[in-house]
Amino acid sequence: MSKPAELQHDLERSLPAIASISTSFSQSQGFSPYCYFSPEKRKAISDVRRTFCLFVTFDLLFISLLWIIELNTKEGIQKNLKDEIIDYHFKTSFFDIFVLAFFRFFVLLLAYAVVKLRHWWVIAVTTLVSSAFLIVKVILSELLTKGAFGYLLPIVSFVIAWLETWFLDFKVLTQEAEEERWYLAAQAAASRGPLLYPRALSEGQFYSPPESFAGSDNESDEEGAGRKALTAQEKEYVQQGKDAMEVVDQILAQEENWKFEKNNDFGDVVYTFEIPFHGKTFILKAFLQCSAETVYQEVILQPEKMILWNRTVAACQILQRVEDNTIISYDVAAGAAGGVVSPRDFVNVRRIERRRDRYISSGISTTHSLKPPLSKYVRGENGPGGFIVLKCPSNPRVCTFIWILNTDLKGRLPRYLIHQSLAATMFEFAFHLRQRVSELPARP
């Protein structure tokens, strides 16, 4: 079985909730057909691969420049060219280092720009040849007696060859594999989901909880006519959701105490706030040119569809609908900080409320029998937080989006790196959300 086929099979097996997306987005007029095109068809060459090709070109040009400078001595370029090319001698000539750079340039661009290979074996060969040749040349040659360039050219050539290897393996191939996984997830949802998982739509993708009022105890949590009684575990889930909602309300009420952290060119701002017993909390505040209802539908009511437009989310699955306002979800956050922070998974209880002036989805980490910790992910833990969409009383076509994030990524990560990663992830989420709502038809 081919690797893409294995990946698609794994996605369908491990993330059954993705399958429900196909039914839903066939009814959504605003879903972009861009998601249906494979990464190869979206662009002739990806941005990160183009950057790699530019770096390979820089390798050749930089080595050429250094060689020309070395040739331009008091004896003149013409005489030095004759000595190093026509009267070539392995122990004293720099010409072979230039040829080695041209060899890397030609082979790598042929493999990764023309043929568009998605494997590391070609660069492994070029790096191995370059490293072996340079080591032998330094040992056997007399270059070190020719001054600074005798040291500089071999060292620069050696370092650049390994930088190219690192960039391709850790940046180009990793990012393109993530794009392929994202594309296959959408394809699996579109083509095969409804046949495999016909219950997914009725299990909670497009439900809208009854309107709730702050301070009201009558929020559809108790057993009603035609509803089954909640088990002790389900009642605990409901209470966890209520507790998280109370903390979110307290954070919103203390906006004057939020501490400014960062902002970006779109006007989005990340604040921080210390919560007793939970520690540092990050708060994103963004102004959006769309109705609150649009964001409510895309972010709060349809979390499983988020993987189709939000690169910060690798997977989202609804594990259980406890009652009208409470659900249990399984979420996988994509890696961050250039792969330094690996993907994390979370099991959260979410409470959703509709109020007169806002929509709120609060959440906190919990446990569920359907999703024990997996070896391939680090199980993170979320403190109280969630999404808030504030309606604008004077203009229903705009709204304010707030994301409250309190998370422990676990693992042995430096705290400063986690904080930088979280702020960047929040800005990236806001960017993808803007792109998403811009594709949708306007809702009143």
Side-chain angles (χ1 to χ4, degrees), residues 21 72-73 75 97 137 144 237 267 322 327 356 392 426-428 443:
I21 298 171
N72 193 20
T73 61
E75 297 180 355
I97 296 181
K137 188 170 183 67
L144 301 185
Y237 287 144
V322 180
I327 60 175
R356 289 192 180 96
C392 179
M426 298 180 96
F427 284 141
E428 186 179 359
R443 285 192 179 100

Side-chain angles (χ1 to χ4, degrees), residues 232-248:
Q233 179 64 68
E234 290 173 336
K235 289 180 179 178
E236 183 180 349
Y237 287 144
V238 172
Q239 187 58 48
Q240 288 175 347
K242 287 183 176 181
D243 293 341
M245 185 65 72
E246 289 180 5
V247 176
V248 168

